[in-house]
Amino acid sequence: MSDTADSNGTSPVIATARRARAAAAELAPLPRTARDAALEAVAGALTDRAAEIVEANAEDIERARAAGTSDAIVDRLTLTPQRIAAIAADVRDVVALPDPVGEVVRGSTLPNGLELRQVRVPLGVVGIIYEARPNVTVDAAALCLKSGNAVLLRGSSSAYSSNEALVGVLRDAVESAGLPADAVQLVPGESRESVHELMRARGLVDVLIPRGGASLIQTVVRESTVPVIETGVGNCHVYIDELADLDMAVDILVNSKAQRPSVCNAAETVLVHAGIADRFLPRALAALGEAGVTVHGDEAWQKAGQNAGRGPGAEVVPATDADWETEYLSYDIAAAVVPSLDAAVTHIRRWTSGHTEAIVTRDTAAARRFVSLMDSTAVMVNASTRFTDGGQFGFGAEIGISTQKLHARGPMGLPELTSTTYVVTGDGHTRE
Amino acid sequence: MSDTADSNGTSPVIATARRARAAAAELAPLPRTARDAALEAVAGALTDRAAEIVEANAEDIERARAAGTSDAIVDRLTLTPQRIAAIAADVRDVVALPDPVGEVVRGSTLPNGLELRQVRVPLGVVGIIYEARPNVTVDAAALCLKSGNAVLLRGSSSAYSSNEALVGVLRDAVESAGLPADAVQLVPGESRESVHELMRARGLVDVLIPRGGASLIQTVVRESTVPVIETGVGNCHVYIDELADLDMAVDILVNSKAQRPSVCNAAETVLVHAGIADRFLPRALAALGEAGVTVHGDEAWQKAGQNAGRGPGAEVVPATDADWETEYLSYDIAAAVVPSLDAAVTHIRRWTSGHTEAIVTRDTAAARRFVSLMDSTAVMVNASTRFTDGGQFGFGAEIGISTQKLHARGPMGLPELTSTTYVVTGDGHTRE
């Protein structure tokens, strides 16, 4: 029980979750038009009240600067009227997406005449625990509302003032459209204890989605009794097969690693078939070097670096086991030469986080074998790992990328924020 | 770490899970023909080695009798050559079911020409913790093998000898068909500690499915770090609306409660609209009484019982809150009169375990409102709650009935034993 529990002994977090549960019951039967109207109201209110949001955001920025936060992170925290307008535009994009609720997933008339329909319904109460920029507050709320869910938002304490202002605007807008304001709530308290209470609110919260670094996600996965959808840690691999097109292989490798190294679908390790190493390693080292990437290589890569002499990419740092398991999220890549496709498979299965793996090959049999032996969210054949993304996949929205196997795997769009129920209609049917 | 850990400090349970993981990697790429051949071998071996199984079963029966176990439970534990032949026939039925693995769930060609396919793949390692009869051992193993998963079986200690014999036969058969024997394993040890180790084997076991009583299921849900699919507790409701056809209402009520009271989709509470109570309660009491059902009723039902005088069903036991939440699994039913459909909804949402609820009504608006306000696995309109069942739904097989919202909700067939992966095929595609 929290220090600030009320006279009934209910902590503020649990009280919030109870209100969310009641709001979810009100949301569930609403038709699309009602939910879309609320989202339109949200988009309008964000623009109308941008000044107030920017003011609250200034407090977070001031605190961050006083704490010596880097310019890059302060920039990610910063909201401007232009950025708020872009966030509002994103909400309008969500309005335009198809409604997942009510979709008949499967249906049939049973031999006895019973009509069976499996129908998508909201999950209920979705908790999002995130470390990211304040725009996530609005994105997550919009996707949850669109899919008929009440949302509990637990952002980082560094963005608390911004989140408080944003959620205030969201709640007013939702209420003005006739929906319960408690459909969108900030989890009260900035302490870790409030996260722990949220993780133990089984029966009130239907699912928790942690978005952020590996340590946040692991804590939630380990400690939560509420079901969790694990997201986003990506130790992604690119395997260059013996029969790869070398130009294509260089392009895919550099794109996978360096097009945007800070994201979960960037590559962290490259494995090269020994039969092609002599020809491929010098070209890869040059191209990676030019892109500003440091290679952490095995002996073969180190030797190739020495042979390359001076110039970009020539210096190969010796790799250790730590490199095989690291998600660098930076201009670094681990690199090894493997004797066979199956050796690449063994390496990947041992070290992967199960996000995205790519093979570059002209050999259909190799592609087929590689695909069949992976145990990851996505497998790319002759394409960059960077394509594992809700937007790229055409889902129109993404609440995160699940790296677990239950419920949702890969980019999660609106259907992944729903459950299903069976509706069975008869005419007095009883079982014999 | 267990007392019987080996020299590397690995407990027998964890060692078993590791072998299952390796077997799962071998199973994943196998085509249907290989998995079906193994199941055919299993069916054959069960019949061929029935004597050996019956002999092991006799040890369990002897222990059960010595412990004073009831005849009914001893009967459920008992295997005869005829019962084993029936189990083998069930395995052959599984062979005939469509293969869930490799099904393309969705697919499209993206605007940039990338070919996107979402494909069903095995989950990997499935753990089943069950209290039920030894036939579950074979059923669960067959469904897991069919769907390309390795299975870890943890049956009740009362059936340990039978399960050991059955798993021995299964492993030999699987191996004779060229599949890894470790695709089917019994979790070693009869202690509770072995269950706890299984629940903590996150990363080795992909999902745990507890099948059995509420207390087993709650323990697993609370303590497991391995993802769990919650099954089967059913506090199911039948609501008789003001505009119900009374004959139909009596039939559905009696069938829902008394056709087989020991199962999770049997009704445990009946709620009757006040506007129809005077006419319905006497008929319901007579019919329930005739079926041997004791009514635990509110004041209105008690009064109806008194008015009925002597005769079957006349004696109504006063109901307390405990009755609203009890899953009797017996010839007992809780009963209340409610002032409106919405009051019935409120009662159900408060007390239900989220399994199956039924409405009996001729009013389309009432049916629609009831369906939209339920938050359960299945909602029956003018049909018995007893229809929530994989066999009845035409799934051909059922590993359990999920009462949770993530991954699977309702009867789980073969597709629910799979995950999906995205396979993306390009021609050197990179992101801009």
Side-chain angles (χ1 to χ4, degrees):
Chain A
M1 197 181 304
S2 146
D3 287 345
T4 46
D6 69 16
S7 56
N8 297 320
T10 303
S11 83
V13 173
I14 298 304
T16 304
R18 290 222 172 103
R19 287 195 298 271
R21 183 121 224 104
E26 285 186 60
L27 288 177
L30 293 179
R32 169 176 184 161
T33 47
R35 286 175 271 127
D36 282 357
L39 289 171
E40 286 288 1
V42 163
L46 285 168
T47 322
D48 293 347
R49 294 169 65 179
E52 174 184 336
I53 296 163
V54 167
E55 202 177 323
N57 180 244
E59 295 171 27
D60 289 331
I61 293 174
E62 199 178 326
R63 267 209 314 272
R65 287 213 192 281
T69 307
S70 74
D71 284 354
I73 290 179
V74 168
D75 180 61
R76 291 174 59 174
L77 185 61
T78 302
L79 292 172
T80 63
Q82 291 72 30
R83 286 185 179 181
I84 293 168
I87 293 170
D90 286 345
V91 173
R92 291 209 169 86
D93 287 345
V94 171
V95 174
L97 291 174
D99 186 6
V101 178
E103 186 198 342
V104 178
V105 176
R106 66 180 149 185
S108 61
T109 301
L110 301 178
N112 59 7
L114 274 179
E115 291 166 29
L116 179 72
R117 286 181 298 139
Q118 186 183 19
V119 183
R120 283 202 188 282
V121 294
L123 283 167
V125 178
V126 177
I128 318 265
I129 304 177
Y130 54 106
E131 292 173 333
R133 296 164 286 192
N135 65 311
V136 172
T137 305
V138 182
D139 284 354
L143 292 174
C144 287
L145 279 175
K146 176 77 184 183
S147 50
N149 295 293
V151 66
L152 292 174
L153 297 156
R154 203 340 176 137
S156 72
S157 53
S158 63
Y160 196 81
S161 301
S162 313
N163 288 338
E164 208 168 32
L166 286 167
V167 169
V169 171
L170 290 168
R171 287 170 57 88
D172 290 349
V174 164
E175 200 163 28
S176 75
L179 268 62
D182 287 337
V184 182
Q185 292 181 90
L186 208 59
V187 175
E190 300 182 44
S191 69
R192 288 193 160 265
E193 181 53 29
S194 71
V195 179
H196 280 262
E197 287 188 63
L198 192 61
M199 294 193 293
R200 287 190 298 258
R202 191 177 176 99
L204 292 174
V205 181
D206 291 294
V207 60
L208 282 181
I209 306 176
R211 287 180 56 168
S215 120
L216 167 72
I217 292 167
Q218 280 316 305
T219 302
V220 177
V221 162
R222 250 196 335 267
E223 299 184 13
S224 182
T225 58
V226 174
V228 173
I229 298 181
E230 204 174 336
T231 65
V233 176
N235 182 12
C236 304
H237 297 75
V238 176
Y239 165 63
I240 314 295
D241 186 51
E242 187 169 20
L243 293 181
D245 175 302
L246 287 199
D247 291 334
M248 187 192 290
V250 170
D251 285 353
I252 287 176
L253 172 58
V254 172
N255 189 263
S256 296
K257 174 69 255 183
Q259 195 257 349
R260 195 171 165 206
S262 62
V263 291
C264 60
N265 58 19
E268 307 293 4
T269 298
V270 55
L271 302 171
V272 179
H273 192 288
I276 207 179
D278 282 351
R279 285 183 294 144
F280 182 71
L281 266 49
R283 293 189 54 181
L285 282 170
L288 289 167
E290 216 159 286
V293 175
T294 302
V295 174
H296 303 246
D298 66 358
E299 282 187 22
W301 281 84
Q302 291 168 45
K303 207 170 143 196
Q306 286 152 12
N307 292 343
R310 294 162 161 273
E315 202 164 333
V316 173
V317 181
T320 67
D321 273 1
D323 289 289
W324 309 133
E325 89 178 331
T326 297
E327 188 191 21
Y328 295 113
L329 299 174
S330 62
Y331 286 94
D332 294 86
I333 194 164
V337 168
V338 290
S340 64
L341 182 146
D342 281 16
V345 166
T346 303
H347 179 110
I348 294 170
R349 287 187 74 109
R350 170 154 184 209
W351 297 106
T352 185
S353 65
H355 193 298
T356 301
E357 330 297 348
I359 181 173
V360 184
T361 188
R362 286 175 304 185
D363 178 354
T364 54
R368 190 177 149 95
R369 183 162 176 81
F370 186 83
V371 166
S372 76
L373 293 173
M374 287 296 101
D375 187 22
S376 296
T377 286
V379 187
M380 302 287 161
V381 178
N382 295 330
S384 168
T385 58
R386 292 276 293 111
F387 284 107
T388 303
D389 174 272
Q392 294 292 323
F393 280 7
F395 297 171
E398 180 188 290
I399 193 104
I401 296 178
S402 161
T403 50
Q404 68 178 34
K405 293 185 187 172
L406 290 189
H407 186 69
R409 198 180 197 195
M412 291 186 288
L414 290 169
E416 284 74 21
L417 286 172
T418 66
S419 182
T420 60
T421 193
Y422 286 98
V423 179
V424 185
T425 309
D427 195 22
H429 285 68
T430 54
R431 263 183 86 171
E432 308 269 302
Chain B
M1 196 180 305
S2 146
D3 287 346
T4 46
D6 68 15
S7 56
N8 297 320
T10 303
S11 83
V13 174
I14 298 303
T16 304
R18 290 222 172 103
R19 286 195 298 270
R21 184 122 223 103
E26 285 185 63
L27 288 177
L30 292 179
R32 169 176 184 161
T33 47
R35 285 175 273 127
D36 282 357
L39 289 171
E40 286 288 0
V42 163
L46 285 168
T47 323
D48 292 349
R49 293 170 64 180
E52 177 184 334
I53 297 164
V54 168
E55 200 177 326
N57 181 246
E59 295 171 27
D60 289 330
I61 293 173
E62 197 177 328
R63 267 210 313 272
R65 288 213 190 279
T69 307
S70 74
D71 283 353
I73 291 179
V74 168
D75 180 61
R76 290 173 61 174
L77 185 63
T78 302
L79 292 172
T80 63
Q82 291 71 29
R83 287 185 179 181
I84 293 168
I87 293 171
D90 287 344
V91 173
R92 291 209 170 86
D93 288 346
V94 172
V95 174
L97 291 173
D99 186 7
V101 178
E103 186 198 342
V104 178
V105 177
R106 67 179 150 184
S108 62
T109 302
L110 301 178
N112 60 8
L114 273 180
E115 290 166 30
L116 178 72
R117 285 182 296 139
Q118 185 182 19
V119 183
R120 283 203 188 283
V121 294
L123 282 167
V125 177
V126 177
I128 318 266
I129 303 178
Y130 54 106
E131 292 174 335
R133 293 163 287 192
N135 66 312
V136 173
T137 306
V138 182
D139 284 354
L143 292 173
C144 287
L145 279 175
K146 176 77 184 183
S147 50
N149 295 294
V151 66
L152 292 175
L153 297 157
R154 211 314 183 157
S156 71
S157 53
S158 63
Y160 196 82
S161 302
S162 313
N163 288 338
E164 208 169 33
L166 287 167
V167 168
V169 170
L170 289 168
R171 288 170 57 88
D172 290 349
V174 163
E175 199 163 30
S176 75
L179 269 61
D182 287 336
V184 182
Q185 292 181 89
L186 207 59
V187 175
E190 299 182 45
S191 69
R192 288 196 159 263
E193 180 54 26
S194 71
V195 180
H196 280 261
E197 287 187 64
L198 192 61
M199 294 194 292
R200 288 190 297 259
R202 192 179 174 97
L204 291 175
V205 180
D206 291 294
V207 61
L208 281 182
I209 305 177
R211 287 180 57 168
S215 118
L216 166 72
I217 292 167
Q218 281 316 306
T219 303
V220 177
V221 161
R222 250 197 335 268
E223 299 185 13
S224 181
T225 58
V226 173
V228 173
I229 297 180
E230 206 174 333
T231 65
V233 176
N235 181 12
C236 304
H237 297 74
V238 176
Y239 166 62
I240 314 295
D241 187 49
E242 187 169 19
L243 294 182
D245 176 302
L246 288 198
D247 292 335
M248 187 192 290
V250 169
D251 284 353
I252 287 176
L253 171 58
V254 172
N255 189 262
S256 296
K257 175 68 254 182
Q259 196 255 349
R260 195 172 166 204
S262 62
V263 291
C264 59
N265 57 18
E268 307 292 6
T269 298
V270 56
L271 302 171
V272 180
H273 192 288
I276 208 177
D278 282 351
R279 286 184 292 146
F280 183 70
L281 266 49
R283 294 189 54 182
L285 282 170
L288 288 167
E290 216 158 287
V293 176
T294 301
V295 175
H296 303 247
D298 65 358
E299 284 187 21
W301 280 83
Q302 291 167 46
K303 207 169 142 195
Q306 285 151 14
N307 291 343
R310 291 161 164 276
E315 202 163 335
V316 173
V317 181
T320 66
D321 274 2
D323 289 290
W324 309 133
E325 89 179 331
T326 297
E327 188 191 21
Y328 296 111
L329 299 174
S330 61
Y331 286 94
D332 293 86
I333 194 163
V337 169
V338 290
S340 64
L341 183 146
D342 281 17
V345 166
T346 303
H347 179 108
I348 295 170
R349 287 187 74 109
R350 171 154 184 209
W351 297 107
T352 185
S353 65
H355 194 297
T356 299
E357 329 298 349
I359 180 173
V360 183
T361 188
R362 284 175 307 186
D363 178 353
T364 53
R368 190 177 148 98
R369 183 162 176 81
F370 186 84
V371 167
S372 76
L373 293 173
M374 288 295 101
D375 188 22
S376 297
T377 286
V379 187
M380 302 287 160
V381 178
N382 295 331
S384 168
T385 58
R386 292 274 295 112
F387 284 108
T388 304
D389 174 271
Q392 294 292 322
F393 281 7
F395 298 171
E398 180 189 291
I399 192 101
I401 296 178
S402 162
T403 50
Q404 67 178 34
K405 294 185 186 172
L406 291 188
H407 185 70
R409 200 181 195 195
M412 291 186 288
L414 290 169
E416 284 73 23
L417 285 172
T418 65
S419 182
T420 59
T421 192
Y422 286 99
V423 179
V424 186
T425 309
D427 193 23
H429 286 69
T430 54
R431 262 183 87 172
E432 308 269 301

